[in-house]
Amino acid sequence: MKINFVKRLFFVLIQCTYGLGQTICGFVVFLIFLRKPHRIYRGCIDTMWDTCSGLSLGLFIFTPKKDFSDSQKIRVHEYGHCIQSIFLGPLYLFIGIISCTWAGLPYFVKMRREKKIPYTKCFVEHWASAWGEWITGEDAVWD
């Protein structure tokens, strides 16, 4: 029990120092969605919002509500991004740029849909799902 607490405390400390940039951005998004339901997921503050996509910014993750079929898999994937944040610190900005471009740029959205390319074909997304699964022991999103 003490070891688990120490791990969580260390996780929060790293996100609030080495991952400070993304944690501050996450806090701003958290404040925007303050009225949405929140919970703690493995040391992260998980905000459940009304969309089918996820977002990870340092100590904060934003995931679909529980009634969305893949919400837990997305949560595990976003947690994998949190682990990337711990390892990369300020360099996580590059992961964020690649991830947002892959997820939202109409060219890539159309290409994934037409060619049936899985979302995790992009290396940063594959990496996030793989780490999320490895650390949590739960399934992550792979489509």
Side-chain angles (χ1 to χ4, degrees):
M1 188 77 162
K2 281 185 174 181
I3 292 173
N4 200 22
F5 173 76
V6 172
K7 283 182 183 179
R8 300 277 187 251
L9 185 62
F10 187 67
F11 178 84
V12 170
L13 182 64
I14 295 290
Q15 292 289 18
C16 291
T17 54
Y18 192 53
L20 183 61
Q22 50 270 28
T23 295
I24 289 172
C25 291
F27 182 67
V28 170
V29 177
F30 171 80
L31 290 176
I32 292 169
F33 292 97
L34 193 57
R35 293 185 181 209
K36 297 297 179 187
H38 311 283
R39 70 178 191 149
I40 302 297
Y41 179 75
R42 299 182 173 268
C44 294
I45 299 167
D46 178 18
T47 300
M48 290 161 274
W49 58 6
D50 299 321
T51 182
C52 60
S53 63
L55 177 67
S56 177
L57 291 166
L59 192 56
F60 299 88
I61 61 175
F62 303 87
T63 59
K65 290 183 179 178
K66 292 180 183 178
D67 58 352
F68 181 72
S69 63
D70 284 336
S71 64
Q72 184 58 27
K73 290 181 178 184
I74 292 171
R75 187 169 290 107
V76 172
H77 173 84
E78 295 306 327
Y79 186 74
H81 281 302
C82 287
I83 304 305
Q84 290 172 328
S85 172
I86 285 176
F87 279 96
L88 298 172
L91 297 176
Y92 182 75
L93 172 66
F94 296 109
I95 298 294
I97 291 169
I98 294 166
S99 184
C100 287
T101 302
W102 179 249
L105 200 65
Y107 171 80
F108 291 119
V109 172
K110 182 180 176 187
M111 180 183 72
R112 285 196 315 271
R113 184 181 62 245
E114 289 177 355
K115 296 183 180 183
K116 300 186 186 322
I117 297 173
Y119 184 71
T120 52
K121 184 72 171 176
C122 176
F123 75 99
V124 299
E125 303 306 338
H126 183 273
W127 184 17
S129 283
W131 274 14
E133 285 186 346
W134 180 62
I135 291 174
T136 66
E138 301 175 53
D139 290 336
V141 67
W142 288 97
D143 297 341

